[in-house]
Each structure stands twice: as C-alpha cells, then as structure tokens.
Amino acid sequence: MFAPGEADDVKQAVAEGLLKRMESIRAHFNGSTLVRTYLSVIIRNICLEIRRSTGTRPQTVLSMPDDESLTAGASEDPDNQALIGEVISTFHALLMQYGRNAPKILLMLKLRFRLPVSTADILKWYPGCSRENLDAVLGVFGGDYESMPDHEVYRSMTPVMNEAEGKLNSSDALRKWTSAKIAEVLELLNGTPPVSTHTEETLKILLEDQVSPFLLRR
Amino acid sequence: MKRTSRSQRGFFLPSGHLTEEAVGLCVDALKLERYDEVPTDIRAHLEDCQACRGNVSGVFALLADQKYDGNQAHPYLDARSRFARGAWYKIAAVLVVLVGIGALVALYLSNRPAGLQRENQALVPGQDSSSGRSSPENPLTGREDHARTLASRLEPNAELEALVDARMRSPGVKVLRPVIGGMISGSVMFDWSGGPAGKYTVTIYDNSRTIVLRLTVDRTSLKVDQGLQPGLYYWKLESNDELLYFGKFIVQ
C-alpha cells in the first residue's frame, strides 16, 4: 500500500490515528472479535485514510506465482509455497463470502477457463439437477472443450442455468454475469487499493486441479 | 432473537454496512474455518455487498500469514456455543420435568405404570424407502439425541473418516450424490451408477457410528425424504455384502 521509504511516516501517522480513535474504540468495541483482528481492521482503515488524504500511489507488492511454480513438485521454495498457500486461502475466504452464489461462480469460472467440470461442481450449485441434465452438462463440459467458442459454451449452459434458477435469461446475459463476477473477484483479490496483480490467468491457475479441491472441500 | 438483537446493535452501521467489529468477526470466522457460525444477517449482507466483501477480504489477506489457534476460545463464536449448550440443557431439563409430571398424571388416571406408554416416532420413509427398516436404536427418535448439541453432531468420527471415499473391489461404481461433505437440506438424494446388477443396501450412520437407517433397493437411486436431524452423517453402499462406496454428508 505504501512505498518502503514511507514506512516511518506511515508508522507515525498510524500511531496518531490510533490515539485519535481511542475513545471511539473504547465506546464501540464490545468484544465480539479477537483484539488482534480488530486492531488489524482499524489499522488497515487508518492506512486507507492516509493513502486517500495524501494521494499516495499504491505499491504493488504481491503477485501470483507463475504457472510453472504451481505445477506439482515444481516449487520447493518454502517462501513460494507459503505465498501460494496464502493466495489459495484468500481466494477461498473470498468465495465463502459469496455464500449461495459461490458454487455458481466457481462453475462459471471453470467454464470460462475451459476447465473440466465435475459432478461435484454441478451438484454443489444445483443439488436438484436431474440425471439427464447432469449427464448432458458433463457430456459437454466434463472433458476437453478447450477449442469451444465462447458463445457455444454459454449457449449450452444457459438452459440448465435457467432451469436451476427459474429464469429465462439469454446466453448473453450469462456471459455478462460471468464477466462481471470475474472482474469483481479480481478486484477483491487484488485489494482496494490494489496491492497485487492477479489476472484472469491467475484465476485459471487457482481453479486448476491441484487447487480446486481446497475450494470444494466443504 | 438474542442473536439478531446483538447483531443489530453492534454489527451494522447506520449506512447499513458492516462495522469494523463485524468485519473482524468475519475474518476471525474465516481464519478459524467457522464462517457458517457468523450471524445470518451478516453473511446475507456480505453476499450482496461488494464493499464489505472488499473489507473482509482485505483484512483477511493482510493476516494471511498469521496462524489462528482453533483451540483458543473465541469471544463471540464460543460464547454463542456456550449459550446454545446452556439453552439445550434448560430445554432438556424442562422436558424431563414435563415428562415426569405427565407420567404421574397418567399413573393416577389409568392406574397403570407410566412406563408402558411410549412414544413411537418412526421415521417416515420417502418414496423409495418402503422396503426400509430403521434401527431399533434409531437416534432420530431418542430424547437423548435432542439434548446433543449441533456442534457435537457435526464432530467428525475418526474411524469413519478413514473409510470415506474408500471403494472396495468395485472401482466401476460412480456415486453422483450426495457429494462427499456436501451440505443438504430437505430430502437426501442418493444416486450412483456402474454398480453390479441386483439389490443395493444403503446404510446411514450418524457421527457416533450409530445406524440411523438401512434400506435395500433394487435401483440405483434412493430418496430419503425426512427425518435426519442436522448433523454429520456417513453412508455406505453395499451390494451382495460387498462394500461399494463410503461417503459422508451434512444435513443443515
């Protein structure tokens, strides 16, 4: 969020901000959260205020490890593994917040990136899916469909999506919804102000086989 | 009721967004993998509000390298569990007193031992469960089970966990649902394919290894309409005494 050279000034400003807010903290904190988490929320908000007031340009400090480092056994570097773990964990936490929409977002992300869809992907999103529809979706998206054009992907998925949601949306509406969600997920992953440089490629890596089990474990 | 009033008092700003404390609570719950225990109104707000999701995700990312100890009591999440446990004990105590009074009245009126009058709440099987039989020790009906907290019913059973997803001698069997660890509300659908021809037996266990239900069917699907209390369940699929599949699911 800040340049390394600004560290001392920021520390000073945060300390002043905390002192100013001490009364408010005392009045409003009712002990529902761990103190260290609560203080982290407050300090982050103070930092955001400092950044807004000074117009500091955000520093990109974190990026997703590249594709090769995520392949099995490629990364022996503990720092890199820790970073991957943190990104997966943050992505998982982000999806949890989408609640009922999380399975749909996961499914549509997989379709967007042409990743094979599993039975679990379908049933977590649409538990009442009929056997026929399940077989039909898996028949199209359960294997390799890398070369399928975008409009074909959404056209094939829209009838089942409409059945699940009781809607009459067009395939274009589903495409727009998916694009909007991808933009939103990337914005949340990168932070406000952006402190990471995640891209659609990052999301694809996150969703690939070795990571997606983490997302579907619950 | 109490949960809602607490939530409204401390977790929402006049603007409708989450307070810093509510954001902190969500981060705690995500770190501790207890997000389901966050008050419903907060989770519903997060589903709809990108700004608040941004705050929660931002703080979560900030604390991504911090370890949270799940064994340490949480000031809100565990306080609620304690309340819930206390409430269950109170309800159980009131039930015991009511049953005792009822028994005395019955004894007085009919001059018969009250112990002869028993509740018989059999599980009502679904459309596919007509051939089923439930265990005489069915935990669906026991008062003792009512006193168990939801938390205890969600505790994984180490021995059964080891069997989950284990397939024996029938790698061709493909279970479509329930998904391992899937959350289910209402009817539970069992659906599989690729097994041997003949009859199948589905056995459902609760997390204390008690058989909740055992049904034999001659098709590759089964619907259990009602009767499963919220909690963690394990199930196995057998044919001709051969174990085909072992899975688990959670009833909400």
Side-chain angles (χ1 to χ4, degrees):
Chain A
M1 198 180 292
F2 299 98
E6 296 174 297
D8 288 339
D9 291 343
V10 172
K11 272 187 218 164
Q12 176 77 16
V14 167
E16 285 170 14
L18 276 174
L19 280 173
K20 275 185 204 164
R21 296 181 59 164
M22 200 53 78
E23 274 308 306
S24 164
I25 291 170
R26 198 175 293 163
H28 294 110
F29 183 63
N30 62 29
S32 298
T33 179
L34 295 174
V35 173
R36 67 166 160 166
T37 314
Y38 184 61
L39 286 176
S40 300
V41 177
I42 288 173
I43 290 171
R44 178 177 176 271
N45 285 342
I46 291 173
C47 288
L48 290 175
E49 283 166 19
I50 295 168
R51 204 192 74 79
R52 270 194 294 268
S53 64
T54 60
T56 309
R57 193 184 161 90
Q59 301 294 306
T60 299
V61 295
L62 178 70
S63 62
M64 183 67 185
D66 60 25
D67 197 356
E68 281 180 13
S69 65
L70 272 175
T71 53
S75 173
E76 299 296 330
D77 179 2
D79 289 344
N80 204 21
Q81 285 179 346
L83 179 60
I84 294 166
E86 286 170 18
V87 176
I88 293 171
S89 160
T90 303
F91 185 46
H92 182 250
L94 196 161
L95 278 174
M96 292 281 285
Q97 295 169 61
Y98 279 100
R100 290 163 300 170
N101 283 324
K104 181 181 173 184
I105 291 171
L106 259 182
L107 174 62
M108 293 313 298
L109 287 175
K110 282 195 165 187
L111 294 186
R112 171 67 161 255
F113 300 131
R114 307 294 191 272
L115 296 171
V117 169
S118 68
T119 305
D121 292 327
I122 305 290
L123 293 178
K124 282 198 179 259
W125 156 66
Y126 183 17
C129 186
S130 67
R131 189 79 168 262
E132 292 74 27
N133 277 336
L134 190 62
D135 289 343
V137 172
L138 292 176
V140 178
F141 302 118
D144 180 14
Y145 57 106
E146 181 77 40
S147 58
M148 188 181 282
D150 250 12
H151 69 270
E152 186 66 26
V153 169
Y154 294 111
R155 193 186 61 75
S156 302
M157 195 62 206
T158 300
V160 186
M161 190 64 73
N162 281 341
E163 182 190 289
E165 298 178 344
K167 292 179 179 171
L168 292 169
N169 286 331
S170 65
S171 58
D172 198 45
L174 184 59
R175 183 187 60 76
K176 284 179 182 165
W177 184 90
T178 306
S179 297
K181 287 297 167 200
I182 287 174
E184 193 178 302
V185 167
L186 282 175
E187 189 181 329
L188 290 171
L189 264 184
N190 287 328
T192 308
V195 291
S196 306
T197 54
H198 299 295
T199 60
E200 290 203 16
E201 189 57 32
T202 305
L203 280 184
K204 184 176 180 183
I205 295 168
L206 279 172
L207 287 161
E208 279 171 341
D209 284 345
Q210 73 184 92
V211 177
S212 57
F214 288 96
L215 308 173
L216 290 168
R217 65 187 171 186
R218 288 177 189 83
Chain B
M1 185 73 78
K2 182 171 181 175
R3 195 184 308 174
T4 305
S5 62
R6 279 179 70 168
S7 183
Q8 283 170 348
R9 194 173 64 230
F11 293 149
F12 288 94
L13 295 167
S15 62
H17 290 293
L18 297 183
T19 60
E20 288 169 330
E21 191 150 7
V23 170
L25 173 60
C26 293
V27 173
D28 284 348
L30 287 166
K31 295 286 287 184
L32 294 166
E33 301 193 345
R34 296 173 69 179
Y35 185 68
D36 291 346
E37 297 173 49
V38 170
T40 317
D41 44 2
I42 294 181
R43 279 185 287 141
H45 178 77
L46 276 175
E47 275 187 37
D48 296 330
C49 179
Q50 190 182 347
C52 288
R53 277 200 301 270
N55 280 335
V56 173
S57 301
V59 179
F60 186 91
L62 196 66
L63 297 170
D65 60 345
Q66 300 285 309
K67 297 272 179 270
Y68 276 50
D69 182 5
N71 295 321
Q72 195 181 352
H74 187 275
Y76 181 84
L77 302 173
D78 290 309
R80 278 183 45 203
S81 301
R82 278 198 295 276
F83 163 75
R85 202 159 44 237
W88 273 112
Y89 287 141
K90 283 176 194 165
I91 291 166
V94 169
L95 279 175
V96 168
V97 170
L98 287 176
V99 168
I101 292 170
L104 285 174
V105 170
L107 183 65
Y108 175 76
L109 291 177
S110 63
N111 201 23
R112 288 191 300 149
L116 293 176
Q117 300 177 7
R118 291 178 58 115
E119 288 180 33
N120 186 18
Q121 301 172 329
L123 172 74
V124 181
Q127 62 186 49
D128 294 322
S129 53
S130 53
S131 64
R133 60 188 189 276
S134 57
S135 161
E137 294 172 5
N138 190 341
L140 300 172
T141 60
R143 285 193 193 100
E144 196 178 311
D145 190 60
H146 287 284
R148 292 173 65 196
T149 63
L150 178 59
S152 70
R153 289 200 299 268
L154 287 167
E155 275 292 317
N157 182 299
E159 288 176 50
L160 296 182
E161 285 288 329
L163 295 171
V164 170
D165 205 17
R167 295 179 181 83
M168 308 292 180
R169 285 179 286 165
S170 286
V173 175
K174 187 176 180 186
V175 171
L176 303 173
R177 60 184 138 184
V179 175
I180 289 177
M183 306 280 275
I184 293 167
S185 52
S187 304
V188 185
M189 278 298 304
F190 297 89
D191 207 354
W192 61 91
S193 63
K199 294 192 172 184
Y200 296 92
T201 301
V202 171
T203 309
I204 305 176
Y205 299 88
D206 68 10
N207 64 341
S208 62
R209 289 192 73 174
T210 306
I211 293 177
V212 173
L213 193 64
R214 178 177 285 145
L215 300 166
T216 301
V217 294
D218 54 6
R219 54 187 156 269
T220 60
S221 64
L222 171 69
K223 184 179 182 186
V224 176
D225 276 332
Q226 55 184 300
L228 294 180
Q229 292 186 349
L232 173 62
Y233 292 89
Y234 297 86
W235 72 286
K236 69 177 176 183
L237 178 67
E238 292 171 300
S239 180
N240 301 322
D241 292 331
E242 181 188 353
L243 176 61
L244 303 178
Y245 184 82
F246 202 98
K248 66 175 179 178
F249 59 92
I250 295 167
V251 174
Q252 290 180 305

